[in-house]
């Protein structure tokens, strides 16, 4: 299993629920294990940034098109996950355990890992210098000014984006 891939837009149709005790994710209308869909080693992102984001977990096995198992719930918020949208990504797995990008991190700002192809139409605040996997942290300083910290985690070309839109404002 690779530490990361080049796809931030793996097919993710349907909705999911998580049993925190067993780590089993049950899907409704999902296609886990199918070509172009979630595979063991990919990352499942529970919820969305636009609605409620619960955190990320690494998929360790696929039992069928509507059932998979995650390795740990440590980077999840702990809130009940039932009938929520999800995304599948091949983002760097080490970021899940990094409190900067985990839902268990400090709530002083917003941090998220994005796949950036270089083709994103973004405002100057969010422009990055490299294609690849980028960690973006936003926060407001003491004067109420929005600050954006961008960190290139893995510089690479050929990345496919689309699961989570890179921020524009």
């Amino acid at each position: 299993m690779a530490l990361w891939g080049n796809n931030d837009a793996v097919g993710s149709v349907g909705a999911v629920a998580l049993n925190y005790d067993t780590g089993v994710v049950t899907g409704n209308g999902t296609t886990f294990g199918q070509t172009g869909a979630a595979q063991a080693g990919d990352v499942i992102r529970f919820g969305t940034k636009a609605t409620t984001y619960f955190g990320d977990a690494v998929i360790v096995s696929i039992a069928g098109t509507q059932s998979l198992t995650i390795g740990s719930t440590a980077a999840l918020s702990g809130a009940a996950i039932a009938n929520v949208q999800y995304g599948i990504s091949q983002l760097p797995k080490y970021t899940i355990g990094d409190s900067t990008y985990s839902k268990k991190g400090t709530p002083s700002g917003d941090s998220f890992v994005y796949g950036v192809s270089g083709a994103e139409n973004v405002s100057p605040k969010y422009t990055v210098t490299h294609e690849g996997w980028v960690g973006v942290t936003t926060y407001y300083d003491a004067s109420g000014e929005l600050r954006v910290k961008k960190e290139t985690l893995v510089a690479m070309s050929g990345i496919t984006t689309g699961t989570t839109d890179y921020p524009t404002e």
Side-chain angles (χ1 to χ4, degrees), residues 36-37 51 55 57 65 67 69 71 102 106 121 130 133 138 149 155 158:
T51 57
T65 59
S67 181
T69 302
S102 161
T106 307
N121 182 18
H130 294 284
W133 294 105
T138 59
K149 175 186 169 195

Side-chain angles (χ1 to χ4, degrees), residues 59-116:
I59 299 168
V60 295
S61 67
I62 307 267
T65 59
Q66 296 186 339
S67 181
L68 63 80
T69 302
I70 60 173
S72 172
T73 59
L76 301 178
S77 66
I81 298 173
N83 196 34
V84 300
Q85 291 180 315
Y86 70 100
I88 303 294
S89 180
Q90 295 175 341
L91 63 91
K93 290 163 191 53
Y94 70 86
T95 62
I96 295 169
D98 183 337
S99 63
T100 302
Y101 303 109
S102 161
K103 286 306 288 181
K104 296 287 188 181
T106 307
S108 60
D110 185 38
S111 294
F112 207 68
V113 177
Y114 298 91
V116 178

Side-chain angles (χ1 to χ4, degrees), residues 21-41:
D21 293 332
T22 63
V24 172
V25 175
T26 304
N28 180 4
T30 55
T31 57
F32 304 146
Q34 301 296 305
T35 301
Q39 303 294 323

Side-chain angles (χ1 to χ4, degrees), residues 116-163:
V116 178
S117 70
E120 279 78 5
N121 182 18
V122 300
S123 70
K125 248 180 232 184
Y126 291 98
T127 300
V128 296
T129 56
H130 294 284
E131 294 179 43
W133 294 105
V134 178
V136 178
T137 301
T138 59
Y139 61 96
Y140 289 92
D141 67 14
S143 302
E145 183 72 25
L146 175 67
R147 300 293 183 187
V148 180
K149 175 186 169 195
K150 302 158 294 223
E151 178 180 16
T152 302
L153 305 171
V154 179
M156 63 186 285
S157 61
I159 201 158
T160 303
T161 62
T163 300

